[in-house]
């Protein structure tokens, strides 16, 4: 159970870091790329929170809500991963172009 608490705190920390970096950048593609990374971190946070709830109480309501959190969280991870892979080559080329100037 302590491992999930650690993973929850780490994933939420990464979410904040990537969200702040996304807001602070001026590059449009890098902004979307960092937003995808923050979506992955937020999805991990929600998913790990749902898994952690399964260990705290064993009621039917907890199982239903935890299942929703797990599905929504890891669905967000999947969508964020697809966006991350999509924007990665564009972010690299944008960084190379702007660094040449």
């Amino acid at each position: 159970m302590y491992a999930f608490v650690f993973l929850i705190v780490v994933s939420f920390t990464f979410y904040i870091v990537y969200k702040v970096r996304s807001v602070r950048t001026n590059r449009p593609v890098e902004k979307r790329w960092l937003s995808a990374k923050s979506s992955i971190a937020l999805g991990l946070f929600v998913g790990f929170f749902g898994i952690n709830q399964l260990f705290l109480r064993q009621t039917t309501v907890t199982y239903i809500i935890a299942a929703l959190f797990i599905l929504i969280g890891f669905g967000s991870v999947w969508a964020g991963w697809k966006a991350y892979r999509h924007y990665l080559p564009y972010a690299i080329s944008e960084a190379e172009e702007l660094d040449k100037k």
Side-chain angles (χ1 to χ4, degrees):
M1 183 161 37
Y2 292 115
F4 285 116
V5 173
F6 176 73
L7 291 172
I8 288 168
V9 170
V10 168
S11 61
F12 189 69
T13 303
F14 274 109
Y15 167 71
I16 291 175
V17 167
Y18 289 134
K19 189 52 85 172
V20 167
R21 287 179 63 190
S22 171
V23 169
R24 294 187 63 162
T25 187
N26 293 328
R27 300 174 179 177
V29 178
E30 184 180 15
K31 185 179 290 279
R32 291 187 193 120
W33 179 63
L34 289 169
S35 179
K37 289 172 78 170
S38 70
S39 175
I40 292 170
L42 184 62
L44 287 173
F45 168 74
V46 172
F48 289 143
F49 187 80
I51 293 171
N52 190 42
Q53 290 302 309
L54 294 175
F55 294 107
L56 297 178
R57 293 189 201 168
Q58 284 79 28
T59 65
T60 306
V61 175
T62 303
Y63 289 144
I64 293 170
I65 292 174
L68 287 174
F69 274 41
I70 293 167
L71 289 174
I72 291 170
F74 290 115
S76 179
V77 169
W78 179 72
W81 177 252
K82 289 187 65 85
Y84 171 81
R85 285 191 341 196
H86 174 74
Y87 289 118
L88 180 61
Y90 299 118
I92 291 171
S93 65
E94 180 184 57
E96 288 173 350
E97 286 177 15
L98 292 176
D99 288 341
K100 286 180 183 178
K101 292 181 181 181

